[in-house]
């Protein structure tokens, strides 16, 4: 099997660029993408069991990998959830599938988002990991629009080995993830603080 194009680009262009920018002494310090996690929760739907089945099918089409079903850990009467009841689906992508999914997401899927001006700048968790929410599965080219039974939202989490948000942001930007520029007002507030 051939190496994905984006992975080759990472090795040849991104690694030397990040090493020059951050002056890493060791090649193992250079941030890398470890995995991509795609999750969906169907807790609000009244026909939860069928909704979870639909989410599993949609995620499988999008990622090319069968997701696992997630279950409720405890019962919550207010939400009409019982312990052990299926709530959603999730899949963890690594290796070649991860690189191919990221390539498709950057070049095909993200530009299909309505009124797209870039992904949020601040969606980092403090440890270099980036999460983005997708409200509708119809932006993915793998989904046939006439086959959609219900609107399913996703969370896509990019897990990196970067120790800080800035290093994670530099890695994802170098890979081509389209992020919005921070607003000027935010910059002046952080400069004054």
């Amino acid at each position: 099997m051939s190496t994905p194009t984006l992975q080759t680009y990472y090795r040849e262009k991104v690694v030397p660029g990040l090493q020059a920018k951050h002056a890493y002494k060791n090649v193992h310090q250079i941030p890398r993408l470890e995995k991509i996690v795609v999750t969906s929760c169907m807790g609000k739907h009244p026909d939860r069991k069928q909704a979870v089945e639909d989410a599993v099918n949609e995620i499988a089409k999008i990622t090319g990998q069968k997701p696992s079903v997630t279950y409720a850990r405890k019962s919550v009467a207010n939400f009409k959830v019982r312990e052990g009841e299926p709530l959603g689906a999730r899949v963890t992508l690594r290796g070649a599938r991860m690189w191919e999914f990221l390539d498709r997401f950057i070049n095909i899927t993200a530009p299909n988002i309505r009124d797209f001006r870039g992904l949020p700048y601040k969606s980092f968790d403090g440890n270099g990991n980036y999460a983005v929410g997708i409200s509708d599965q119809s932006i993915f080219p793998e989904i046939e629009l006439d086959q959609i039974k219900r609107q399913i939202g996703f969370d896509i989490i990019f897990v990196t080995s970067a120790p800080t948000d800035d290093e994670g942001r530099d890695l994802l930007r170098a890979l081509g993830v389209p992020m919005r520029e921070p607003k000027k007002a935010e910059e002046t507030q952080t400069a004054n603080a």
Side-chain angles (χ1 to χ4, degrees):
M1 193 170 149
S2 65
T3 308
T5 314
L6 197 59
Q7 188 174 10
T8 308
Y9 176 77
Y10 168 75
R11 286 183 186 147
E12 293 173 1
K13 300 275 194 294
V14 176
V15 167
L18 289 174
Q19 191 163 15
K21 183 174 183 180
H22 292 283
Y24 295 115
K25 292 184 174 88
N26 190 325
V27 292
H28 298 293
Q29 289 178 305
I30 300 169
R32 65 188 177 283
L33 193 61
E34 293 184 337
K35 62 185 176 182
I36 296 176
V37 182
V38 180
T39 63
S40 182
C41 182
M42 307 308 291
K44 292 182 180 175
H45 293 271
D47 56 336
R48 202 173 291 136
K49 203 169 194 176
Q50 184 59 45
V52 168
E53 208 172 286
D54 293 343
V56 166
N57 294 334
E58 301 288 288
I59 292 176
K61 283 180 196 171
I62 290 165
T63 61
Q65 187 172 314
K66 189 175 189 300
S68 59
V69 176
T70 55
Y71 298 94
R73 286 192 212 133
K74 59 183 178 181
S75 301
V76 180
N78 290 346
F79 299 125
K80 297 179 179 148
V81 173
R82 291 201 175 128
E83 185 179 350
E85 192 174 18
L87 279 183
R90 72 186 268 167
V91 67
T92 303
L93 302 171
R94 289 185 168 89
R97 271 210 181 112
M98 170 188 76
W99 288 106
E100 286 165 6
F101 176 80
L102 180 61
D103 196 8
R104 286 193 322 267
F105 180 76
I106 291 168
N107 296 313
I108 300 168
T109 306
N112 281 342
I113 298 172
R114 191 178 298 129
D115 298 330
F116 184 69
R117 291 187 195 94
L119 297 173
Y121 179 80
K122 289 186 161 186
S123 295
F124 283 87
D125 68 349
N127 297 318
N129 303 318
Y130 183 70
V132 63
I134 304 293
S135 59
D136 185 16
Q137 78 269 32
S138 66
I139 62 168
F140 291 94
E142 296 87 359
I143 302 295
E144 296 173 26
L145 296 176
D146 56 340
Q147 299 288 322
I148 294 176
K149 295 177 187 169
R150 70 181 82 231
Q151 186 174 346
I152 297 172
F154 302 101
D155 286 327
I156 302 173
I157 300 117
F158 301 97
V159 180
T160 69
S161 65
T164 66
D165 288 350
D166 290 332
E167 291 174 69
R169 193 174 288 117
D170 289 342
L171 168 68
L172 292 175
R173 277 197 169 151
L175 286 171
V177 175
M179 279 187 222
R180 274 184 231 130
E181 290 301 314
K183 293 185 175 73
K184 299 291 181 205
E186 291 172 1
E187 287 177 7
T188 49
Q189 285 176 355
T190 50
N192 294 339

